Short mmCIF file of all heavy atoms in Angstrom, two decimals:
data_model
loop_
_atom_site.label_atom_id
_atom_site.label_comp_id
_atom_site.label_asym_id
_atom_site.label_seq_id
_atom_site.Cartn_x
_atom_site.Cartn_y
_atom_site.Cartn_z
N VAL A 19 -60.55 -37.62 94.23
CA VAL A 19 -60.71 -37.42 95.73
C VAL A 19 -61.94 -38.11 96.06
O VAL A 19 -63.08 -37.79 95.46
CB VAL A 19 -60.76 -35.96 96.17
CG1 VAL A 19 -60.96 -35.80 97.60
CG2 VAL A 19 -59.43 -35.24 95.74
N MET A 20 -61.99 -38.97 97.11
CA MET A 20 -63.14 -39.83 97.34
C MET A 20 -63.45 -39.70 98.91
O MET A 20 -62.55 -39.23 99.65
CB MET A 20 -62.99 -41.29 97.09
CG MET A 20 -62.47 -41.43 95.67
SD MET A 20 -61.74 -43.11 95.31
CE MET A 20 -60.08 -42.98 95.82
N CYS A 21 -64.51 -40.05 99.20
CA CYS A 21 -64.76 -40.28 100.66
C CYS A 21 -64.08 -41.50 101.17
O CYS A 21 -63.53 -42.32 100.44
CB CYS A 21 -66.31 -40.34 100.91
SG CYS A 21 -67.05 -41.95 100.27
N ASP A 22 -64.12 -41.72 102.53
CA ASP A 22 -63.39 -42.97 103.02
C ASP A 22 -64.36 -44.16 102.81
O ASP A 22 -64.96 -44.70 103.72
CB ASP A 22 -63.13 -42.71 104.59
CG ASP A 22 -62.32 -43.84 105.02
OD1 ASP A 22 -61.67 -44.57 104.36
OD2 ASP A 22 -62.37 -44.01 106.38
N CYS A 23 -64.48 -44.54 101.60
CA CYS A 23 -65.37 -45.71 101.35
C CYS A 23 -64.76 -46.39 100.10
O CYS A 23 -64.07 -45.81 99.29
CB CYS A 23 -66.75 -45.29 101.06
SG CYS A 23 -66.94 -44.01 99.87
N GLY A 24 -65.25 -47.62 99.82
CA GLY A 24 -64.84 -48.37 98.66
C GLY A 24 -63.43 -48.92 98.76
O GLY A 24 -62.90 -48.91 99.74
N SER A 25 -62.97 -49.31 97.55
CA SER A 25 -61.64 -49.98 97.49
C SER A 25 -60.56 -48.96 97.64
O SER A 25 -60.62 -47.92 97.03
CB SER A 25 -61.58 -50.67 96.12
OG SER A 25 -60.23 -51.27 95.95
N HIS A 26 -59.58 -49.44 98.35
CA HIS A 26 -58.36 -48.50 98.52
C HIS A 26 -57.08 -49.19 97.98
O HIS A 26 -56.03 -49.25 98.51
CB HIS A 26 -58.06 -48.22 100.01
CG HIS A 26 -59.06 -47.33 100.62
ND1 HIS A 26 -59.12 -47.16 101.92
CD2 HIS A 26 -60.07 -46.64 100.15
CE1 HIS A 26 -60.14 -46.35 102.18
NE2 HIS A 26 -60.69 -45.99 101.03
N THR A 27 -57.28 -49.88 96.73
CA THR A 27 -56.19 -50.50 96.06
C THR A 27 -56.07 -50.00 94.70
O THR A 27 -57.07 -49.59 94.08
CB THR A 27 -56.32 -52.02 96.13
OG1 THR A 27 -57.46 -52.35 95.38
CG2 THR A 27 -56.37 -52.68 97.50
N ILE A 28 -54.84 -50.16 94.14
CA ILE A 28 -54.59 -49.68 92.72
C ILE A 28 -54.71 -50.89 91.90
O ILE A 28 -54.05 -51.88 92.20
CB ILE A 28 -53.18 -49.10 92.64
CG1 ILE A 28 -53.15 -47.72 93.51
CG2 ILE A 28 -52.86 -48.67 91.19
CD1 ILE A 28 -51.79 -47.20 93.66
N GLY A 29 -55.37 -50.74 90.70
CA GLY A 29 -55.43 -51.85 89.85
C GLY A 29 -54.24 -51.73 88.88
O GLY A 29 -53.07 -51.65 89.39
N LEU A 30 -54.36 -51.74 87.55
CA LEU A 30 -53.25 -51.70 86.72
C LEU A 30 -52.87 -50.22 86.69
O LEU A 30 -53.56 -49.33 86.39
CB LEU A 30 -53.64 -52.16 85.32
CG LEU A 30 -53.99 -53.73 85.19
CD1 LEU A 30 -54.51 -53.94 83.89
CD2 LEU A 30 -52.73 -54.48 85.54
N PRO A 31 -51.54 -49.90 86.81
CA PRO A 31 -51.05 -48.53 86.78
C PRO A 31 -51.34 -47.94 85.32
O PRO A 31 -51.19 -48.69 84.40
CB PRO A 31 -49.60 -48.60 87.13
CG PRO A 31 -49.18 -50.01 87.20
CD PRO A 31 -50.47 -50.85 87.11
N THR A 32 -51.41 -46.70 85.25
CA THR A 32 -51.55 -46.01 84.09
C THR A 32 -50.29 -45.90 83.40
O THR A 32 -49.39 -45.18 83.75
CB THR A 32 -52.06 -44.51 84.31
OG1 THR A 32 -53.27 -44.66 85.09
CG2 THR A 32 -52.41 -43.80 83.02
N ASP A 33 -50.03 -46.40 82.09
CA ASP A 33 -48.82 -46.37 81.35
C ASP A 33 -47.67 -46.58 82.11
O ASP A 33 -46.51 -45.87 81.85
CB ASP A 33 -48.85 -45.10 80.59
CG ASP A 33 -50.04 -44.84 79.59
OD1 ASP A 33 -50.50 -45.92 79.02
OD2 ASP A 33 -50.55 -43.78 79.41
N GLY A 34 -47.62 -47.39 83.06
CA GLY A 34 -46.45 -47.59 83.89
C GLY A 34 -46.17 -46.48 84.86
O GLY A 34 -44.89 -46.53 85.46
N ALA A 35 -46.99 -45.52 85.06
CA ALA A 35 -46.61 -44.40 85.88
C ALA A 35 -46.72 -44.83 87.39
O ALA A 35 -47.40 -45.75 87.77
CB ALA A 35 -47.66 -43.18 85.62
N ASP A 36 -46.09 -44.13 88.27
CA ASP A 36 -46.24 -44.32 89.83
C ASP A 36 -47.62 -43.76 90.17
O ASP A 36 -47.90 -42.64 89.93
CB ASP A 36 -45.07 -43.64 90.43
CG ASP A 36 -44.92 -44.11 91.85
OD1 ASP A 36 -45.64 -45.06 92.32
OD2 ASP A 36 -44.11 -43.43 92.58
N GLU A 37 -48.33 -44.66 90.76
CA GLU A 37 -49.67 -44.28 91.37
C GLU A 37 -49.77 -44.43 92.89
O GLU A 37 -49.17 -45.43 93.40
CB GLU A 37 -50.80 -44.83 90.58
CG GLU A 37 -50.70 -44.42 89.17
CD GLU A 37 -51.86 -44.91 88.27
OE1 GLU A 37 -52.28 -46.07 88.53
OE2 GLU A 37 -52.48 -44.23 87.47
N VAL A 38 -50.50 -43.60 93.50
CA VAL A 38 -50.69 -43.76 94.97
C VAL A 38 -52.01 -43.43 95.39
O VAL A 38 -52.74 -42.66 94.84
CB VAL A 38 -49.65 -42.86 95.69
CG1 VAL A 38 -49.92 -41.40 95.45
CG2 VAL A 38 -49.50 -43.17 97.05
#
Side-chain angles (χ1 to χ4, degrees):
V19 177
M20 308 165 276
C21 65
D22 184 24
C23 55
S25 176
H26 291 172
T27 58
I28 296 172
L30 295 173
T32 305
D33 298 326
D36 190 5
E37 296 184 321
V38 67

